[in-house]
Amino acid sequence: MRIHPLSSDIPKPERFTYPFCYEPHPLCLKAAEEVKKEIERIGPKEGKMFGVLVVEEGDRSQESGDRSAYGFLAAYSGLLEGRNDWEYFVPPVYDAQQPDGYFKTREREIMQSAEHKEMSQDLQLWLFRQYRMLNARGEVKDLVEIWQDYHSAPRLREKYPLPPGGTGDCCAPKLLQYAYQHDLKPICMAEFWWGESPKSLIRHHGQFYPACSGKCKPVLAWMLQGLDVDPNPEEVGYQHQVPSIVWEDEVMAVVDKPSGLLSMPGKIGEYSVATWAQEKWPGAMVVHRLDMQTSGLLLVAKTEEAYHQLQAQFEARTVKKKYLAVVEGEPQKEHGVIDLPLSSDPLNRPLQIVDLVHGKRAITEYRTLTSVTGGRFFCYTGDVTKEPSPCYTLVALWPHTGRTHQLRVHCAHQEGLGCPIVGDELYGRKADRLYLQAQAIAFDHPVTGKRMHLELKEGF
């Protein structure tokens, strides 16, 4: 078997990892350190996602109470250096790379056929049927069945008729499949990136990441059945927080939204600035939005006329905003403009990617303000290569466009600042909060037309 020993007195978690939002368990950190040695021995030339799964062999450890009887499995997504047969790592769920196997033989035949497209689709469908995925109850479904059951609504079935190419070849499905096949009990799991980041995505060497949603979410929803899994931390709810009123008159207000409060009701909760505003001023409407973890200034209209007038200003881009952010490390330049087009990652929503071909133009001006050294900002240390940088920089950001996650991507991307915002779980590392604040806003009053400038005192 491909199981590796893991001697440790660390107690196991109460439940298995929720793979789409998690903090790596200490057992996974210990296992990842071992995997890192093997990766360095191989010396891959391209960046790759790797994963670890800590396991127990059947009921032996549970019956004996022996904490040291852990083991771990290791995996990589796709191919590693063009191979899928590295002995240290679990094998693929289905090996389509055999040169004399049906898939490769048929692929060569199709390349010489005039009906190339239709025959390729048939071969891809055949391939998906070979991925027969287990769950913790010992039940089996192939990828086509899993996909169609997950996207059962007619509209979703039409939008997602078949899995994307490469589904089933990511770390998490490979690890769980091998564990189930060999009567190994999954304890916890984690995935980390090793090597250079791709040009479009933001991946930091040695850092842990959640499983991808586009390919893995339907598959893991099936494979995790029968396991006691941690709840999704993004769905357990948040304490009700109250915005503070910065300025108001009879037709509008400017409020300071705390980090962790929704701007509008959403899937993870109904309580938001919008519901609070309607309770305080019946009929009030939030004019624009901030990400839940971003704090700062929001405009609230108390009348429908004021709402439409302020909305028109946003559409005309006459509303000007300034943000403050604390970023990891030090930007190379004191002042500059980042111009990187963005589009959504269809296989990993809600992430955005830098897309030079199809992306919408996104422009951010920045200026560094001051550096902070020491332990004021508490980054999660889920990095298998090094401790967090002791240096953080306060920067001012002026978005000239309003794309989704624009400031977060422009700060984190290697062709932007190359310095992720502290606490940015999507593009950087977890902390006690996201250190991004909408600190100042300028707009025309919807009744008087007077230019208004409001700002918060600098600091978080």
Side-chain angles (χ1 to χ4, degrees), residues 176-211:
L176 289 170
Q177 184 83 351
Y178 189 87
Y180 295 151
Q181 289 174 334
H182 294 84
D183 191 30
L184 301 172
K185 182 180 178 182
I187 300 301
C188 52
M189 183 169 62
E191 298 180 61
F192 62 92
W193 182 265
W194 192 267
E196 292 188 10
S197 175
K199 292 293 184 182
S200 59
L201 298 177
I202 297 171
R203 292 288 183 262
H204 299 284
H205 177 61
Q207 191 163 310
F208 286 91
Y209 289 92

Side-chain angles (χ1 to χ4, degrees), residues 134-180:
L134 289 160
N135 65 18
R137 293 194 287 258
E139 301 165 329
V140 181
K141 284 185 180 181
D142 66 45
L143 286 181
V144 177
E145 294 174 300
I146 290 171
W147 210 256
Q148 293 180 348
D149 288 348
Y150 187 85
H151 301 293
S152 57
R155 184 176 61 85
L156 290 176
R157 181 73 65 85
E158 183 178 353
K159 187 175 182 180
Y160 304 106
L162 289 174
T167 300
D169 291 326
C170 295
C171 295
K174 290 163 73 171
L175 290 166
L176 289 170
Q177 184 83 351
Y178 189 87
Y180 295 151

